[in-house]
Amino acid sequence: MLKGIIRGNVVSTRKKEELVGAKFMEVQIIENGAITDKYLIAIDSVGAGIGETVLVTTGSSARLALANSNAPCDAVIVGIVD
Amino acid sequence: MLKGIIRGNVVSTRKKEELVGAKFMEVQIIENGAITDKYLIAIDSVGAGIGETVLVTTGSSARLALANSNAPCDAVIVGIVD
Amino acid sequence: MLKGIIRGNVVSTRKKEELVGAKFMEVQIIENGAITDKYLIAIDSVGAGIGETVLVTTGSSARLALANSNAPCDAVIVGIVD
Amino acid sequence: MLKGIIRGNVVSTRKKEELVGAKFMEVQIIENGAITDKYLIAIDSVGAGIGETVLVTTGSSARLALANSNAPCDAVIVGIVD
Amino acid sequence: MLKGIIRGNVVSTRKKEELVGAKFMEVQIIENGAITDKYLIAIDSVGAGIGETVLVTTGSSARLALANSNAPCDAVIVGIVD
């Protein structure tokens, strides 16, 4: 998994039907306690908000965190770091 | 997912049969609102065009956005950013 | 797989139910005997602790090392290096 | 997918049985019309030759382009760019 | 796939049961005939030894080269380059 901070959200009205209702967040990756210049877009599954530090699962495993595990998604926020 | 801008299309006449009809687009990745020097080729599934900002799903999850989920494809445009 | 040293743990109280009980560790990658500036978060499956050198499996294969192979996880510590 | 130019082939006599007959090609990645310093080894599935510009699918999706979809392969040339 | 040279082996006594008997090798990646500073750990499936140039398959496809295709492994040596 990757650790990161949610920096913003991404709005997409025209998208695949399986992604309707998904909350897309832009996450800045943190490594060893320091922010990096790496970013990705992940779907939130735990009610996280901008500014929170989160755990992101990538790849095909990410879909297991969604209600619809057939959604074409490769990154999901699976936890909020305390 | 990755956010990016469609910069062009790629034409391939000789290709795997499962990819016939696919619209290949070259996408420049955007991170934190700034363009990067990273690019990939993705199949459009939402009617996106050159110059539009899009969301790209990569890996085996990408195939779930295609009519033929057995196509040998690893990146699909799944949404157009507003 | 990747070789790395466990540098710390990550605590997440609010997380996906399938990840309850998972021990998240921050691992610094080692290449050719030298530490790098690459880090990832992996779930421990072998009883490893901070400071130990470990092997990490990533991607969908990682889930095979967990009791719940449907957990939305993409990196697991699968061995402790002697 | 990635776009690239085939720079050479790789000969391996001792290999997994499922890979017998596979044509391994070294591909130099092209991004935004310019060559990069990134390379990978892909199995040809479309009759491509050295010097041709091709599309490469990576990851588990690559196997879908092979006659034997259980071959331990993670990159396949799936199209020749016009 | 990636091409590389086997630089050493990694010994892990305490590991997941599915990995018992696996021969872990540290492989230095070669691109365009030149060594790089990239390394990974792969399980040998073809009887390769230190100093040999090999092909490595990564990701979930790698497991198809192992006797136990449910082993939590993401990289396997699948061929020895002539």
Side-chain angles (χ1 to χ4, degrees), chain B residues 13-14 26 41 63 72 74, chain D residues 1 32 57-58 61 78 80 82:
Chain B
T13 304
R14 288 175 289 165
E26 184 155 25
I41 311 293
R63 301 199 317 266
D74 61 13
Chain D
M1 281 69 61
N32 195 30
T57 293
T58 62
S61 300
V78 297
I80 301 174
D82 290 6

Side-chain angles (χ1 to χ4, degrees), chain B residues 52-75:
Chain B
E52 287 194 286
T53 300
V54 294
L55 290 173
V56 179
T57 293
T58 62
S60 61
S61 299
R63 301 199 317 266
L64 296 172
L66 299 178
N68 177 1
S69 66
N70 285 320
C73 163
D74 61 13

Side-chain angles (χ1 to χ4, degrees), chain B residues 10-16 18-19 24 26 37-43 59-60 63 69-75, chain D residues 1-3 30-33 45-47 52 55-62 64-66 77-82:
Chain B
V10 178
V11 180
S12 168
T13 304
R14 288 175 289 165
K15 57 180 175 287
K16 293 298 289 183
E18 301 88 341
L19 295 173
F24 297 104
E26 184 155 25
D37 60 355
K38 302 174 199 165
Y39 290 79
L40 54 74
I41 311 293
I43 293 177
S60 61
R63 301 199 317 266
S69 66
N70 285 320
C73 163
D74 61 13
Chain D
M1 281 69 61
L2 299 167
K3 191 164 68 171
I30 299 174
E31 296 186 342
N32 195 30
S45 76
V46 292
E52 287 194 287
L55 289 173
V56 179
T57 293
T58 62
S60 60
S61 300
L64 297 171
L66 300 179
I77 295 168
V78 297
I80 301 174
V81 176
D82 290 6

